[in-house]
Amino acid sequence: MRDTTSLLVQYARYHRDPRNIATHLVGIPLIVVGIGVLLSHPTIPLDPGSPWVLSPAWALWAAASLWYVTRGHPLISTAVIAANGLAMALAHWVSLQAGGDWLAWGIGLFVAGWVIQFIGHYYEGRKPAFMDDLRGLLVGPMFVCAEVLFALRLCRGLRDTIEAEAGPVRLRDLHAGALR
């Protein structure tokens, strides 16, 4: 059971180029919404006439939320649980608006998110973190939330620990292969 700090340090080692981080701020939410759309069917109404439903998407959100809570950083956990919850709500809304096209929307969002991710990793010069550790698929949304919190000047101690262990965020020179 690794904690938030060690998970984010490991993930950050694959994400030190600001262009890669920027692509993750877009790509990961697209992937999460895409997964939510794909898992938004079938639904079980919780109350007749109510918009509240149970679906595989909400079951996945609940399981992931439990995992985030056990990582030991209340602000990061709360942020990622809330962000993923908003993504699942958006996913359900998209799947209803799209009518019969919900499957195409889900696949399209999922694929677009991954394309953006791989563009970022081109700039990074490294493969995605999940290829070495499947937990990276859960840590990705946590990383995005942490980066947003860092931009808001929150969790400075965590940011400093990550930079001390994973190194500073720097542009990689694409021609030389080195970070500058």
Side-chain angles (χ1 to χ4, degrees), residues 23-44:
T23 62
H24 282 57
L25 293 174
V26 175
I28 288 175
L30 287 176
I31 292 166
V32 173
V33 172
I35 289 170
V37 171
L38 293 170
L39 295 178
S40 66
H41 295 277
T43 61
I44 300 169

Side-chain angles (χ1 to χ4, degrees), residues 90-102 105:
L90 177 61
H92 277 275
W93 181 81
V94 167
S95 74
L96 292 173
Q97 302 307 310
D101 295 333
W102 67 271
W105 272 98

Side-chain angles (χ1 to χ4, degrees), residues 124-147:
E124 186 74 40
R126 292 199 67 178
K127 63 187 172 184
F130 82 88
M131 290 183 165
D132 288 332
D133 185 351
L134 285 176
R135 283 179 291 204
L137 296 171
L138 285 167
V139 179
M142 186 189 299
F143 177 79
V144 167
C145 289
E147 287 295 326

Side-chain angles (χ1 to χ4, degrees), residues 117-162:
Q117 294 287 94
F118 283 109
I119 290 169
H121 280 282
Y122 164 77
Y123 288 114
E124 186 74 40
R126 292 199 67 178
K127 63 187 172 184
F130 82 88
M131 290 183 165
D132 288 332
D133 185 351
L134 285 176
R135 283 179 291 204
L137 296 171
L138 285 167
V139 179
M142 186 189 299
F143 177 79
V144 167
C145 289
E147 287 295 326
V148 170
L149 292 171
F150 298 161
L152 295 172
R153 305 179 74 69
L154 298 169
C155 303
R156 287 180 156 183
L158 177 59
R159 187 202 65 203
D160 293 345
T161 299
I162 290 169

Side-chain angles (χ1 to χ4, degrees), residues 17-113:
D17 188 294
R19 297 166 293 193
N20 190 24
I21 293 170
T23 62
H24 282 57
L25 293 174
V26 175
I28 288 175
L30 287 176
I31 292 166
V32 173
V33 172
I35 289 170
V37 171
L38 293 170
L39 295 178
S40 66
H41 295 277
T43 61
I44 300 169
L46 294 179
D47 186 28
S50 167
W52 301 104
V53 297
L54 184 59
S55 70
W58 284 117
L60 178 62
W61 173 82
S65 295
L66 181 61
W67 186 82
Y68 291 125
V69 165
T70 64
R71 299 306 99 190
H73 196 291
L75 183 55
I76 299 287
S77 296
T78 301
V80 72
I81 289 166
N84 285 344
L86 288 172
M88 290 306 108
L90 177 61
H92 277 275
W93 181 81
V94 167
S95 74
L96 292 173
Q97 302 307 310
D101 295 333
W102 67 271
L103 184 61
W105 272 98
I107 292 169
L109 290 166
F110 183 81
V111 170

